[in-house]
Amino acid sequence: MQILGIDIGGTGIKGGVVDTDTGQLLTERVKVLTPVPSTPKSVAKVVNDIAAKFDFKGPIGLGFPAIIRKGIVCSASNIDHSWIGTNSETLFTEETGQPCFVANDADVAGFAEMAYGEVPSSEGVVLFLTIGTGIGSALFIDGKLVPNSEMGHLYWTNGEIAEKYISNKVRKAEGMSWELFGKRLNRYLLHIEKLFSPELIIIGGGISKDFGEFKSQLTLPVKVIPAILQNSAGVIGAAMYARSRMDS
Ligand code: BGC
């Protein structure tokens, strides 16, 4: 089935049509900057513009950078605060005139990576982290997702949430060397490892293509691998999520 996948991020909104039987992108992936301010109205307009660009009629899956419970946005760290309490599914469905299904962006990207990435085994606890504008997380137990895990919001020792200390956005803003970034990431991952004892940690998001730059700083007792779907995971996973909702 062909489904339009849209990955809404704090910095960019990406979209592409996905064949949900194979997990392949059938079109180019378009990217539009996230509007500022990123209000429900302005983001919904971008979503509609992307659907119009592909002249797409049919189900749309969307990954959204916040806690999503039954379509309702319950947090707003890298998106305008006016989203809190908004029923995102109703909003996007009304704006596009197509059935829209929304889940957390990291959860859907993790979903795609588990299905189409090079994950050696999905047994036990597997943790997928997207490191981009913020830190997103998807926690899997024997391949089953525990939604909205929000591990970027653990408090760091300086009283900030972890994503204010270790995201790709912070790395760029502070002009951090890869060595320093790797050391900070290592400290963060060692803490997460203690809390969840995962069998495997997968690093996704904008940083995954640079894994070779910082992997020598990682001293974890568990395997840490880069995601291979890179920036397509969010779009593919969003479409897969819509498909799973339609099938259920
Ligand atoms: C949000 C998460 C999201 C992550 C990545 C965090 O700030 O709280 O819900 O998954 O950013 O976009």
Side-chain angles (χ1 to χ4, degrees):
M1 175 186 272
Q2 294 193 7
I3 296 186
L4 176 61
I6 297 189
D7 179 14
I8 299 174
T11 312
I13 302 180
K14 302 169 207 128
V17 180
V18 177
D19 177 345
T20 53
D21 295 317
T22 61
Q24 295 297 309
L25 260 171
L26 299 172
T27 60
E28 55 158 345
R29 207 188 45 161
V30 297
K31 181 171 176 181
V32 180
L33 286 179
T34 305
V36 181
S38 50
T39 56
K41 198 168 177 225
S42 61
V43 172
K45 182 176 180 315
V46 173
V47 166
N48 193 37
D49 289 350
I50 293 178
K53 185 173 167 38
F54 291 111
D55 195 17
F56 187 80
K57 302 273 176 287
I60 303 177
L62 300 105
F64 194 86
I67 298 171
I68 303 289
R69 300 183 76 171
K70 298 197 163 90
I72 297 179
V73 179
C74 300
S75 66
S77 184
N78 288 311
I79 199 88
D80 196 79
H81 268 75
S82 57
W83 274 99
I84 294 181
T86 302
N87 188 324
S88 58
E89 294 194 345
T90 306
L91 175 75
F92 293 133
T93 300
E94 282 175 5
E95 183 76 22
T96 60
Q98 309 301 320
C100 289
F101 303 93
V102 185
N104 174 265
D105 58 348
D107 283 350
V108 302
F111 219 38
E113 195 68 36
M114 293 295 274
Y116 298 111
E118 282 172 8
V119 180
S121 160
S122 57
E123 257 176 51
V125 175
V126 175
L127 178 60
F128 172 83
L129 293 171
T130 56
I131 302 186
T133 311
I135 299 180
S137 57
L139 183 67
F140 294 89
I141 300 177
D142 293 331
K144 199 163 168 25
L145 176 73
V146 180
N148 294 311
S149 53
E150 292 292 334
M151 286 182 210
H153 286 234
L154 285 175
Y155 280 98
W156 197 251
T157 43
N158 59 4
E160 288 274 24
I161 54 172
E163 73 176 7
K164 302 282 177 222
Y165 183 77
I166 194 68
S167 71
N168 203 19
K169 183 177 165 188
V170 177
R171 180 188 68 80
K172 289 181 187 160
E174 292 186 13
M176 242 185 262
S177 66
W178 283 117
E179 186 186 347
L180 177 59
F181 175 79
K183 285 199 160 79
R184 278 197 192 178
L185 180 64
N186 190 48
R187 200 169 145 207
Y188 169 69
L189 293 180
L190 283 170
H191 183 55
I192 298 261
E193 198 275 327
K194 284 270 175 305
L195 298 180
F196 295 97
S197 300
E199 308 292 331
L200 174 71
I201 299 176
I202 308 170
I203 305 290
I207 211 79
S208 54
K209 62 180 183 318
D210 302 306
F211 190 74
E213 303 280 355
F214 57 83
K215 73 170 181 202
S216 59
Q217 305 301 329
L218 306 182
T219 61
L220 280 99
V222 293
K223 203 168 176 156
V224 183
I225 60 170
I228 61 155
L229 298 185
Q230 299 192 350
N231 276 330
S232 300
V235 169
I236 297 170
M240 287 170 65
Y241 173 71
R243 172 75 188 259
S244 73
R245 286 275 302 276
M246 293 175 71
D247 287 349
S248 67

